[in-house]
Amino acid sequence: MTDSALRHDWSREEIETLFNLPMNDLLFRAHSIHREHFDPNEVQVSRLLSIKTGACPEDCKYCPQSARYDTGLEKERLLEMELVLKEARSARAAGATRFCMGAAWRNPREKDMPYLTTMVREVKSLGMETCMTLGMLSPEQADELARAGLDYYNHNLDTSPEFYGDIITTRTYQDRLDTLDNVRAAGMKVCSGGIVGLGETQNDRAGLLQQLANMEKHPDSVPINMLVKVAGTPLAQQEDLDPLEFVRTIAVARIMMPLSRVRLSAGREKMSDEMQAMCFFAGANSIFYGCKLLTTPNPEENDDMALFKRLGLKPEQGVAADPEKDEAMLERAAARRDKADSLFYDASVV
């Protein structure tokens, strides 16, 4: 299947028909498509690091980082470069091929940009793919990050256009679409998905996937998150989503976006091994690896590798660690940073 053969004209009714297929038929169709385009036993592994935590002005009802909710989360300053690089090296040594950096902002300020672009260059010097999620981006900011070499930019749509206003009021759906347009226009790859279990209907889950699949170009990565309920947020008492409905969402995403990497993202800590195995069979072929996703728990690395072994899965091969080369690069990077100390500042004030 070529890019030109991919569909971008899905109707809501067609998508709901997929959701309502008998589970065996849905999984067979999704897995067959997945096997056409990917090694069915290989999973791309990413590591996610919060480079600036808390004090976000947005009101996303699921998010413990919102300044509007009392979740006990302490706001933190923008991480020092050396710590970011240490985490990136650790991620690579553990088998991650992509390093994702997230900041709790509505959008970066102009004075943030030199530090962020330097961070991208330094992480790329370790031989890893880079991804950032920083909130909304202007066309100029997207261009700056692209020139620095940022590979992916994550900006989730979260849910359907119809349900979106029940979850977020401080930015519009169009704001999110505009940022994705800016990212794509700058030449970066798009990482965009959503969250299920927010109290949405199956029609809303179909609407989310419709928005993603009907873009002019499908997102390169599609993270599907299960709501992680955090005390103090408005969704802390939300009823659990049927696990099989989550598996259905993965399968339908795979059918609609056959060339995208579908990431089994937040919420894995609460998923059984059997549920995760069904998701991998349904077409999920990317995970976040490590003990924490921004501020919420994630399975420990050795647990993931034990599950991979049981399922006969293997991580996508990345750049092998080279400690001597890394040390030399870090020394050069440290020398450059000594000349640029003025770029570091306290970003905890929004």
Side-chain angles (χ1 to χ4, degrees):
M1 182 179 290
T2 63
D3 280 349
S4 61
L6 297 178
R7 286 192 56 185
H8 305 270
D9 60 351
W10 291 91
S11 71
R12 192 72 63 92
E13 293 72 25
E14 286 179 291
I15 304 168
E16 287 202 272
T17 297
L18 290 177
F19 267 100
N20 291 318
L21 285 173
M23 180 63 88
N24 285 344
D25 292 345
L26 176 61
L27 292 181
F28 178 79
R29 182 169 173 181
H31 184 74
S32 297
I33 290 173
H34 180 59
R35 185 174 283 270
E36 282 183 40
H37 304 291
F38 294 98
D39 181 339
N41 298 312
E42 186 173 86
V43 178
Q44 188 273 327
V45 177
S46 298
R47 177 77 68 82
L48 177 61
L49 175 69
S50 177
I51 60 172
K52 187 269 173 184
T53 302
C56 180
E58 305 281 26
D59 69 351
C60 308
K61 289 184 178 179
Y62 53 80
C63 186
Q65 301 208 62
S66 173
R68 299 165 185 255
Y69 313 131
D70 183 10
T71 63
L73 185 71
E74 296 293 332
K75 66 180 182 181
E76 298 175 3
R77 66 191 307 183
L78 193 64
L79 288 186
E80 296 179 18
M81 193 76 70
E82 193 62 39
L83 180 55
V84 174
L85 288 175
K86 179 181 177 182
E87 292 292 332
R89 295 173 71 208
S90 172
R92 191 181 70 169
T97 58
R98 187 180 308 163
F99 193 67
C100 306
M101 296 158 276
W105 283 322
R106 175 178 170 82
N107 55 273
R109 296 169 295 185
E110 286 311 308
K111 72 172 186 174
D112 303 324
M113 296 305 297
Y115 193 70
L116 294 171
T117 53
T118 301
M119 191 177 291
V120 171
R121 294 187 183 98
E122 297 292 353
V123 173
K124 281 187 73 71
S125 75
L126 300 179
M128 301 185 76
E129 288 184 322
T130 53
C131 178
M132 280 186 162
T133 178
L134 311 167
M136 295 183 292
L137 291 181
S138 68
E140 295 76 18
Q141 289 173 327
D143 286 341
E144 282 187 68
L145 291 170
R147 286 195 299 271
L150 187 65
D151 297 297
Y152 289 81
Y153 192 80
N154 167 261
H155 200 62
N156 290 334
L157 296 182
D158 285 352
T159 188
S160 69
E162 297 85 355
F163 189 60
Y164 181 84
D166 292 346
I167 302 299
I168 302 151
T169 67
T170 49
R171 76 174 79 170
T172 67
Y173 211 79
Q174 190 59 50
D175 287 335
R176 291 180 182 264
L177 293 172
D178 289 346
T179 287
L180 294 179
D181 286 343
N182 294 337
V183 168
R184 189 75 81 188
M188 291 181 286
K189 295 177 181 178
V190 166
C191 174
S192 186
I195 307 171
V196 300
L198 299 170
E200 78 286 346
T201 64
Q202 187 183 86
N203 183 266
D204 290 313
R205 290 187 282 280
L208 167 66
L209 297 181
Q210 182 184 35
Q211 287 289 318
L212 295 167
N214 285 354
M215 291 178 178
E216 184 176 350
K217 186 177 187 329
H218 292 166
D220 301 272
S221 290
V222 181
I224 305 295
N225 300 272
M226 178 76 88
L227 173 67
V228 178
K229 292 179 281 189
V230 179
T233 64
L235 295 180
Q237 303 303 317
Q238 178 61 45
E239 184 178 348
D240 288 343
L241 182 72
D242 180 351
L244 293 182
E245 187 66 18
F246 184 89
V247 176
R248 286 183 181 275
T249 306
I250 295 287
V252 175
R254 170 51 67 216
I255 292 169
M256 295 174 66
M257 294 170 279
L259 299 183
S260 302
R261 291 199 177 276
V262 177
R263 178 175 296 137
L264 187 55
S265 198
R268 283 199 307 121
E269 188 201 33
K270 298 296 184 182
M271 296 179 191
S272 69
D273 288 353
E274 293 78 10
M275 180 180 173
Q276 291 188 65
M278 289 186 73
C279 288
F280 291 130
F281 185 82
N285 62 340
S286 178
I287 64 167
F288 277 127
Y289 187 51
C291 61
K292 190 164 72 169
L293 298 182
L294 294 180
T295 63
T296 57
N298 200 44
E300 293 285 353
E301 292 167 4
N302 57 347
D303 292 339
D304 286 326
M305 290 302 101
L307 178 60
F308 276 21
K309 184 175 181 180
R310 291 172 63 201
L311 297 178
L313 301 177
K314 59 183 182 292
E316 180 183 78
Q317 293 302 302
V319 180
D322 184 340
E324 291 185 4
K325 184 178 179 182
D326 285 353
E327 289 297 338
M329 278 192 293
L330 285 172
E331 288 177 8
R332 291 195 297 272
R336 290 195 297 273
R337 287 193 297 277
D338 286 343
K339 299 178 181 179
D341 282 340
S342 61
L343 289 178
F344 184 73
Y345 61 93
D346 187 345
S348 63
V349 179
V350 178

Coordinates of all heavy atoms in Angstrom, one line a residue, residues 129-204:
E129 N 16.4 9.4 18.0 CA 15.4 10.2 17.5 C 14.9 11.1 18.6 O 14.9 10.7 19.8 CB 14.2 9.4 17.0 CG 14.5 8.6 15.7 CD 13.3 7.9 15.2 OE1 12.5 7.4 16.0 OE2 13.1 7.9 14.0
T130 N 14.4 12.3 18.3 CA 13.9 13.2 19.3 C 12.5 13.6 19.1 O 12.0 13.6 17.9 CB 14.7 14.5 19.3 OG1 14.7 15.1 17.9 CG2 16.2 14.3 19.7
C131 N 11.8 13.8 20.2 CA 10.4 14.2 20.1 C 10.1 15.2 21.3 O 10.8 15.0 22.3 CB 9.4 13.0 20.3 SG 7.7 13.4 20.3
M132 N 9.3 16.2 21.1 CA 8.9 17.1 22.1 C 7.4 17.3 22.2 O 6.7 17.2 21.1 CB 9.6 18.4 22.0 CG 11.0 18.5 22.5 SD 11.8 20.1 22.4 CE 13.2 19.9 23.5
T133 N 6.9 17.6 23.3 CA 5.5 18.0 23.5 C 5.5 19.2 24.5 O 5.9 19.1 25.6 CB 4.6 16.9 24.0 OG1 3.3 17.3 24.2 CG2 5.1 16.2 25.3
L134 N 5.2 20.4 23.9 CA 5.4 21.6 24.6 C 4.1 22.5 24.6 O 4.2 23.7 25.0 CB 6.5 22.4 24.0 CG 7.9 21.7 23.8 CD1 8.8 22.5 22.9 CD2 8.5 21.3 25.1
G135 N 3.0 21.9 24.1 CA 1.8 22.7 24.0 C 1.7 23.3 22.6 O 2.3 22.7 21.6
M136 N 1.0 24.3 22.4 CA 0.8 24.9 21.1 C 2.0 25.6 20.6 O 2.9 26.1 21.3 CB -0.3 26.0 21.2 CG -1.7 25.4 21.6 SD -3.0 26.6 21.6 CE -2.6 27.6 23.0
L137 N 2.2 25.5 19.2 CA 3.4 26.1 18.6 C 2.9 27.1 17.5 O 2.0 26.8 16.7 CB 4.2 25.0 17.9 CG 5.0 24.1 18.8 CD1 5.8 23.1 17.9 CD2 5.9 24.8 19.8
S138 N 3.6 28.2 17.4 CA 3.4 29.1 16.3 C 4.2 28.6 15.1 O 5.0 27.7 15.3 CB 3.9 30.5 16.6 OG 5.3 30.5 16.7
P139 N 3.9 29.0 13.9 CA 4.7 28.6 12.7 C 6.2 28.9 12.9 O 7.0 28.0 12.5 CB 4.1 29.4 11.6 CG 2.7 29.7 12.0 CD 2.8 29.9 13.4
E140 N 6.5 30.0 13.5 CA 7.9 30.4 13.7 C 8.6 29.4 14.7 O 9.7 29.0 14.5 CB 8.0 31.8 14.2 CG 7.6 32.8 13.2 CD 6.0 33.0 13.1 OE1 5.3 32.5 14.0 OE2 5.6 33.5 12.1
Q141 N 7.9 29.0 15.8 CA 8.4 28.1 16.8 C 8.6 26.7 16.2 O 9.6 26.1 16.4 CB 7.5 28.1 18.0 CG 7.6 29.3 18.8 CD 6.6 29.3 19.9 OE1 5.5 28.7 19.8 NE2 6.9 30.0 21.1
A142 N 7.7 26.3 15.4 CA 7.8 25.0 14.7 C 9.0 25.0 13.8 O 9.8 24.0 13.7 CB 6.5 24.7 13.9
D143 N 9.2 26.1 13.1 CA 10.4 26.2 12.2 C 11.7 26.1 13.0 O 12.6 25.5 12.6 CB 10.3 27.5 11.4 CG 9.3 27.4 10.3 OD1 8.9 26.3 9.9 OD2 8.9 28.5 9.8
E144 N 11.7 26.8 14.1 CA 12.9 26.8 15.0 C 13.3 25.4 15.4 O 14.4 24.9 15.4 CB 12.8 27.7 16.2 CG 12.9 29.2 15.9 CD 12.9 30.0 17.2 OE1 13.9 29.8 18.0 OE2 11.9 30.7 17.4
L145 N 12.3 24.6 15.9 CA 12.5 23.3 16.4 C 12.9 22.4 15.2 O 13.8 21.5 15.4 CB 11.2 22.7 17.0 CG 10.9 23.4 18.4 CD1 9.5 23.0 18.8 CD2 11.9 23.1 19.5
A146 N 12.3 22.6 14.0 CA 12.7 21.8 12.9 C 14.1 22.0 12.5 O 14.9 21.1 12.2 CB 11.7 22.0 11.7
R147 N 14.5 23.3 12.5 CA 15.9 23.6 12.1 C 16.9 23.0 13.1 O 18.0 22.7 12.8 CB 16.1 25.1 12.0 CG 15.5 25.8 10.8 CD 16.0 27.2 10.6 NE 15.7 28.1 11.7 CZ 14.6 28.8 11.8 NH1 13.7 28.7 10.8 NH2 14.4 29.6 12.8
A148 N 16.5 22.9 14.4 CA 17.4 22.2 15.4 C 17.5 20.7 15.2 O 18.3 20.1 15.8 CB 16.8 22.5 16.8
G149 N 16.6 20.2 14.4 CA 16.6 18.7 14.1 C 15.6 17.9 14.8 O 15.7 16.7 14.8
L150 N 14.6 18.5 15.4 CA 13.6 17.8 16.1 C 12.8 16.8 15.1 O 12.4 17.3 14.0 CB 12.5 18.7 16.8 CG 11.5 18.0 17.7 CD1 12.2 17.3 18.9 CD2 10.5 19.0 18.1
D151 N 12.8 15.6 15.4 CA 12.2 14.6 14.5 C 10.6 14.6 14.6 O 10.0 14.5 13.6 CB 12.7 13.2 14.8 CG 14.2 13.1 14.6 OD1 14.7 13.3 13.4 OD2 15.0 12.9 15.6
Y152 N 10.1 14.5 15.8 CA 8.7 14.3 16.0 C 8.2 15.4 17.0 O 8.9 15.9 17.9 CB 8.4 13.0 16.7 CG 8.5 11.8 15.8 CD1 9.8 11.2 15.6 CD2 7.4 11.2 15.2 CE1 9.9 10.1 14.8 CE2 7.6 10.1 14.4 CZ 8.8 9.5 14.2 OH 9.0 8.4 13.4
Y153 N 6.9 15.9 16.8 CA 6.3 16.7 17.7 C 5.0 16.1 18.1 O 4.2 15.7 17.3 CB 6.1 18.1 17.2 CG 5.7 19.1 18.3 CD1 6.7 19.7 19.1 CD2 4.3 19.4 18.5 CE1 6.3 20.5 20.1 CE2 4.0 20.3 19.6 CZ 5.0 20.8 20.4 OH 4.6 21.6 21.4
N154 N 4.7 15.9 19.4 CA 3.5 15.4 19.9 C 2.5 16.4 20.3 O 2.9 17.4 21.1 CB 3.8 14.5 21.1 CG 2.5 14.1 21.9 OD1 2.1 14.7 22.9 ND2 1.7 13.1 21.3
H155 N 1.3 16.3 19.8 CA 0.2 17.2 20.2 C -1.1 16.4 20.0 O -1.5 16.3 18.9 CB 0.2 18.5 19.4 CG -0.5 19.6 20.0 ND1 -0.1 20.2 21.2 CD2 -1.6 20.3 19.6 CE1 -0.9 21.2 21.5 NE2 -1.8 21.3 20.5
N156 N -1.6 15.9 21.1 CA -2.8 15.0 21.0 C -4.1 15.8 20.8 O -4.2 17.0 21.3 CB -2.9 14.2 22.2 CG -1.8 13.1 22.3 OD1 -1.3 12.7 21.3 ND2 -1.5 12.7 23.6
L157 N -5.0 15.2 20.1 CA -6.4 15.8 19.9 C -7.2 15.5 21.1 O -8.3 16.1 21.3 CB -7.0 15.3 18.6 CG -6.3 15.7 17.3 CD1 -7.1 15.2 16.1 CD2 -6.2 17.2 17.2
D158 N -6.9 14.4 21.9 CA -7.5 14.0 23.1 C -8.8 13.2 22.9 O -8.9 12.1 23.3 CB -7.7 15.1 24.1 CG -6.5 15.6 24.8 OD1 -5.4 14.9 24.6 OD2 -6.5 16.6 25.5
T159 N -9.8 13.8 22.2 CA -11.1 13.1 22.0 C -11.7 13.7 20.7 O -11.1 14.3 19.9 CB -11.9 13.3 23.3 OG1 -13.1 12.5 23.2 CG2 -12.3 14.7 23.5
S160 N -13.0 13.4 20.6 CA -13.7 13.9 19.4 C -14.0 15.4 19.5 O -14.0 15.9 20.6 CB -15.1 13.1 19.3 OG -16.0 13.5 20.3
P161 N -14.3 16.0 18.4 CA -14.6 17.5 18.5 C -15.9 17.7 19.3 O -16.0 18.7 20.0 CB -14.9 17.8 17.0 CG -14.1 16.8 16.2 CD -14.2 15.6 17.0
E162 N -16.8 16.8 19.3 CA -18.1 17.0 20.0 C -17.9 16.9 21.5 O -18.6 17.6 22.3 CB -19.1 15.9 19.5 CG -19.5 16.0 18.1 CD -18.6 15.3 17.1 OE1 -17.5 14.7 17.6 OE2 -18.9 15.2 15.9
F163 N -17.0 16.0 22.0 CA -16.9 15.8 23.4 C -15.8 16.7 24.0 O -15.7 16.8 25.2 CB -16.5 14.3 23.7 CG -16.6 13.9 25.1 CD1 -17.7 14.0 25.9 CD2 -15.4 13.4 25.7 CE1 -17.7 13.7 27.2 CE2 -15.4 13.0 27.0 CZ -16.6 13.1 27.8
Y164 N -15.0 17.3 23.1 CA -13.8 18.0 23.6 C -14.1 19.1 24.6 O -13.4 19.2 25.6 CB -13.1 18.6 22.3 CG -11.9 19.4 22.6 CD1 -10.6 18.8 22.7 CD2 -11.9 20.8 22.8 CE1 -9.5 19.5 23.0 CE2 -10.8 21.5 23.0 CZ -9.5 20.9 23.1 OH -8.4 21.6 23.4
G165 N -15.2 19.9 24.4 CA -15.5 20.9 25.3 C -15.9 20.5 26.7 O -15.9 21.3 27.6
D166 N -16.2 19.2 26.9 CA -16.5 18.7 28.2 C -15.3 18.4 29.0 O -15.3 18.2 30.2 CB -17.3 17.4 28.1 CG -18.7 17.6 27.6 OD1 -19.2 18.8 27.5 OD2 -19.4 16.6 27.2
I167 N -14.1 18.4 28.3 CA -12.8 18.0 28.9 C -11.9 19.2 29.0 O -11.2 19.4 30.0 CB -12.2 16.9 28.1 CG1 -13.1 15.7 28.0 CG2 -10.8 16.5 28.7 CD1 -13.4 15.1 29.3
I168 N -11.9 20.1 28.0 CA -11.0 21.2 28.0 C -11.7 22.5 27.5 O -12.5 22.4 26.5 CB -9.8 20.9 27.0 CG1 -9.1 19.7 27.5 CG2 -8.8 22.1 27.0 CD1 -8.4 19.0 26.3
T169 N -11.5 23.6 28.2 CA -12.1 24.9 27.7 C -11.1 26.0 27.4 O -11.5 27.0 26.8 CB -13.1 25.4 28.8 OG1 -12.4 25.8 29.9 CG2 -14.1 24.3 29.1
T170 N -9.8 25.8 27.8 CA -8.9 26.8 27.7 C -8.1 26.9 26.4 O -7.4 27.8 26.1 CB -7.8 26.7 28.8 OG1 -7.3 25.3 28.9 CG2 -8.4 27.1 30.2
R171 N -8.3 25.9 25.5 CA -7.9 26.0 24.1 C -8.9 25.2 23.3 O -9.5 24.3 23.7 CB -6.5 25.4 23.9 CG -6.3 23.9 24.0 CD -4.9 23.5 23.6 NE -4.0 23.6 24.8 CZ -2.8 23.1 24.8 NH1 -2.4 22.4 23.8 NH2 -2.1 23.2 25.9
T172 N -9.0 25.6 22.0 CA -10.0 25.0 21.2 C -9.5 23.8 20.4 O -8.3 23.6 20.3 CB -10.6 26.0 20.2 OG1 -9.5 26.4 19.2 CG2 -11.1 27.3 20.9
Y173 N -10.4 23.1 19.8 CA -10.0 21.9 19.0 C -9.2 22.5 17.8 O -8.2 21.9 17.4 CB -11.2 21.2 18.5 CG -11.0 19.7 18.3 CD1 -11.0 18.8 19.3 CD2 -10.9 19.2 17.0 CE1 -10.8 17.5 19.1 CE2 -10.7 17.8 16.8 CZ -10.7 17.0 17.9 OH -10.5 15.6 17.7
Q174 N -9.6 23.6 17.3 CA -8.9 24.2 16.1 C -7.5 24.6 16.5 O -6.6 24.5 15.7 CB -9.7 25.4 15.5 CG -9.2 25.9 14.2 CD -9.2 24.8 13.1 OE1 -10.2 24.2 12.9 NE2 -8.0 24.6 12.5
D175 N -7.3 25.1 17.7 CA -6.0 25.4 18.2 C -5.1 24.2 18.0 O -3.9 24.3 17.6 CB -6.0 25.8 19.7 CG -6.6 27.2 19.9 OD1 -6.5 28.0 18.9 OD2 -7.1 27.5 21.0
R176 N -5.6 23.0 18.4 CA -4.7 21.8 18.3 C -4.5 21.5 16.9 O -3.3 21.1 16.5 CB -5.5 20.7 19.0 CG -5.5 20.9 20.5 CD -6.2 19.7 21.3 NE -6.3 20.0 22.7 CZ -5.4 19.5 23.6 NH1 -4.4 18.8 23.2 NH2 -5.5 19.8 24.9
L177 N -5.5 21.6 16.0 CA -5.3 21.3 14.6 C -4.3 22.2 14.0 O -3.5 21.9 13.1 CB -6.6 21.3 13.9 CG -7.6 20.2 14.3 CD1 -9.0 20.5 13.6 CD2 -7.1 18.8 13.9
D178 N -4.4 23.5 14.4 CA -3.4 24.5 13.8 C -2.0 24.2 14.2 O -1.1 24.3 13.3 CB -3.8 25.9 14.3 CG -5.1 26.4 13.7 OD1 -5.6 25.9 12.7 OD2 -5.6 27.4 14.3
T179 N -1.8 23.7 15.4 CA -0.4 23.4 15.8 C 0.1 22.2 15.0 O 1.2 22.2 14.5 CB -0.4 23.0 17.3 OG1 -0.5 24.2 18.1 CG2 1.0 22.4 17.7
L180 N -0.8 21.2 14.8 CA -0.3 20.1 13.9 C 0.0 20.5 12.5 O 0.9 20.0 11.9 CB -1.4 19.0 13.9 CG -1.7 18.3 15.3 CD1 -2.8 17.3 15.2 CD2 -0.4 17.6 15.8
D181 N -0.8 21.5 12.0 CA -0.5 22.0 10.7 C 0.8 22.7 10.6 O 1.6 22.5 9.7 CB -1.6 23.0 10.2 CG -2.9 22.3 9.8 OD1 -2.9 21.1 9.6 OD2 -3.9 23.0 9.8
N182 N 1.1 23.4 11.7 CA 2.4 24.1 11.8 C 3.6 23.2 11.9 O 4.6 23.4 11.2 CB 2.4 25.1 13.0 CG 1.4 26.2 12.9 OD1 1.0 26.6 11.8 ND2 1.0 26.8 14.0
V183 N 3.4 22.1 12.6 CA 4.4 21.1 12.8 C 4.7 20.4 11.4 O 5.9 20.2 11.0 CB 4.0 20.0 13.8 CG1 4.9 18.8 13.7 CG2 4.0 20.6 15.2
R184 N 3.7 20.0 10.7 CA 3.8 19.3 9.4 C 4.4 20.3 8.4 O 5.3 19.9 7.6 CB 2.4 18.9 9.0 CG 2.5 18.0 7.7 CD 3.0 16.6 8.1 NE 1.9 15.7 8.6 CZ 2.1 14.5 9.1 NH1 3.4 14.0 9.1 NH2 1.2 13.8 9.6
A185 N 4.0 21.5 8.4 CA 4.5 22.5 7.4 C 6.0 22.7 7.7 O 6.8 23.0 6.7 CB 3.8 23.8 7.5
A186 N 6.5 22.6 8.9 CA 7.9 22.8 9.2 C 8.7 21.6 8.8 O 10.0 21.7 8.9 CB 8.1 23.1 10.7
G187 N 8.1 20.5 8.5 CA 8.9 19.3 8.0 C 9.1 18.3 9.1 O 9.8 17.3 8.9
M188 N 8.5 18.5 10.3 CA 8.6 17.5 11.3 C 7.6 16.4 11.2 O 6.5 16.6 10.6 CB 8.5 18.2 12.7 CG 9.7 19.0 13.1 SD 9.6 19.8 14.7 CE 8.3 21.0 14.4
K189 N 7.8 15.3 11.8 CA 6.8 14.2 11.9 C 5.8 14.5 13.0 O 6.2 15.0 14.0 CB 7.5 12.9 12.1 CG 8.4 12.5 10.9 CD 9.1 11.2 11.1 CE 10.0 10.8 10.0 NZ 10.8 9.6 10.2
V190 N 4.6 14.1 12.7 CA 3.5 14.4 13.7 C 3.2 13.1 14.6 O 3.1 12.0 14.0 CB 2.2 14.8 12.9 CG1 1.0 14.7 13.9 CG2 2.3 16.2 12.4
C191 N 3.2 13.3 15.9 CA 2.7 12.3 16.8 C 1.4 12.9 17.4 O 1.5 13.9 18.1 CB 3.8 12.1 17.9 SG 3.3 11.0 19.2
S192 N 0.3 12.2 17.2 CA -0.9 12.7 17.7 C -1.9 11.6 17.8 O -2.1 10.7 17.0 CB -1.5 13.8 16.7 OG -2.7 14.4 17.3
G193 N -2.6 11.6 19.0 CA -3.5 10.5 19.3 C -4.6 11.1 20.3 O -5.0 12.2 20.1
G194 N -4.9 10.3 21.3 CA -5.9 10.8 22.2 C -6.0 9.9 23.5 O -5.1 9.0 23.7
I195 N -7.0 10.2 24.3 CA -7.2 9.5 25.5 C -8.6 8.8 25.5 O -9.6 9.5 25.1 CB -7.1 10.5 26.7 CG1 -5.8 11.2 26.7 CG2 -7.2 9.7 28.0 CD1 -5.7 12.4 27.7
V196 N -8.7 7.6 25.9 CA -10.0 7.0 26.0 C -10.3 6.7 27.5 O -9.3 6.6 28.3 CB -10.1 5.7 25.2 CG1 -9.9 6.0 23.7 CG2 -9.1 4.6 25.6
G197 N -11.5 6.6 27.8 CA -11.9 6.4 29.2 C -12.2 7.6 30.0 O -12.3 7.7 31.2
L198 N -12.4 8.7 29.2 CA -12.7 10.0 29.8 C -14.2 10.2 30.1 O -14.6 11.2 30.7 CB -12.4 11.2 28.8 CG -10.9 11.3 28.4 CD1 -10.7 12.3 27.2 CD2 -10.0 11.7 29.6
G199 N -15.0 9.2 29.8 CA -16.5 9.3 29.9 C -17.1 9.5 28.5 O -18.3 9.7 28.4
E200 N -16.3 9.4 27.5 CA -16.8 9.6 26.1 C -17.6 8.3 25.7 O -17.5 7.3 26.3 CB -15.6 9.8 25.2 CG -14.8 8.6 24.7 CD -13.9 8.0 25.8 OE1 -13.7 8.7 26.8 OE2 -13.4 6.9 25.7
T201 N -18.3 8.5 24.6 CA -19.1 7.3 24.0 C -18.2 6.7 22.9 O -17.2 7.2 22.5 CB -20.4 7.8 23.3 OG1 -20.0 8.7 22.2 CG2 -21.2 8.6 24.3
Q202 N -18.7 5.5 22.5 CA -18.0 4.9 21.4 C -18.0 5.7 20.1 O -17.0 5.8 19.4 CB -18.6 3.5 21.0 CG -17.8 2.7 20.0 CD -18.5 1.4 19.7 OE1 -19.4 1.4 18.8 NE2 -18.2 0.3 20.4
N203 N -19.0 6.5 19.9 CA -19.1 7.4 18.8 C -18.0 8.5 18.9 O -17.4 8.9 17.9 CB -20.5 8.1 18.7 CG -20.6 9.0 17.5 OD1 -20.4 10.2 17.6 ND2 -21.0 8.4 16.4
D204 N -17.7 8.9 20.1 CA -16.6 9.9 20.3 C -15.2 9.2 20.0 O -14.4 9.9 19.4 CB -16.6 10.4 21.8 CG -17.8 11.3 22.1 OD1 -18.0 12.2 21.3 OD2 -18.4 11.1 23.1

